[in-house]
Every structure is written in structure tokens, then in C-alpha cells.
Amino acid sequence: MLGSTSGIGRAIAIALADAGADVIVHGKNSLDSAEAVSGEVRRRSSRSIVLMGDLTDRSAGDRLVEDAWNTWGGIDAWLQVAGPTS
């Protein structure tokens, strides 16, 4: 899941965890926020990790996809949620 450190992205990450999904929390700038969401996911008995990266950088995006794929041996769903950049 991309863009899941606040707002709608955070709410979707939590809802997925409540449904039993493992969740990769992505953030661009706020590692603390990403870790907080990941902790909320784990408290719901779901696995969660944090991957950080600036998706305006193509190589960072490629790396994020590869890391996400390798985390648990595949990706079942990919949600990309982005809020305002300012």
C-alpha cells in the first residue's frame, strides 16, 4: 500500500489489517508516521513493514516495487493513495 501514513491511506491500511491482510506501509517523508501506522496494523495481528521512498524518482519507485515483492514472496494487491504534496 502506498501513501498510507495519514488520512485515507492510513484508514485503508487499518481496514485491510482488520480484514486480516498483511500491509506494507509506504511513506515519502515521515518515517515516524509510517512506523505508527505499521504498529497499528501489527496490533491487529497482521504483519506489517515500512518501506520509504520518493516515487517521483523512478529508481526509488522501482526499488520500492522490488522490495515490496520480495518482502513476502509476492503482492496480492497494490493500492496507491496520495494526498497533497505541499
Side-chain angles (χ1 to χ4, degrees):
M1 164 132 201
L2 301 180
S4 46
T5 59
S6 65
I8 293 171
R10 178 188 168 281
I12 293 170
I14 300 304
L16 288 169
D18 286 340
D22 297 327
V23 179
I24 296 172
V25 176
H26 167 264
K28 176 182 174 187
N29 298 317
S30 180
L31 179 59
D32 289 342
S33 295
E35 289 290 353
V37 174
S38 186
E40 290 184 54
V41 168
R42 286 190 301 275
R43 282 189 290 281
R44 287 164 165 77
S45 299
S46 292
R47 294 186 300 174
S48 181
I49 66 158
V50 171
L51 296 177
M52 299 296 290
D54 180 355
L55 296 182
T56 63
D57 174 352
R58 175 66 186 251
S59 64
D62 291 345
R63 205 169 33 257
L64 181 71
V65 170
E66 184 176 336
D67 290 348
W69 182 269
N70 291 328
T71 295
W72 294 308
I75 299 170
D76 293 324
W78 184 282
L79 292 106
Q80 192 158 328
V81 182
T85 58
S86 56

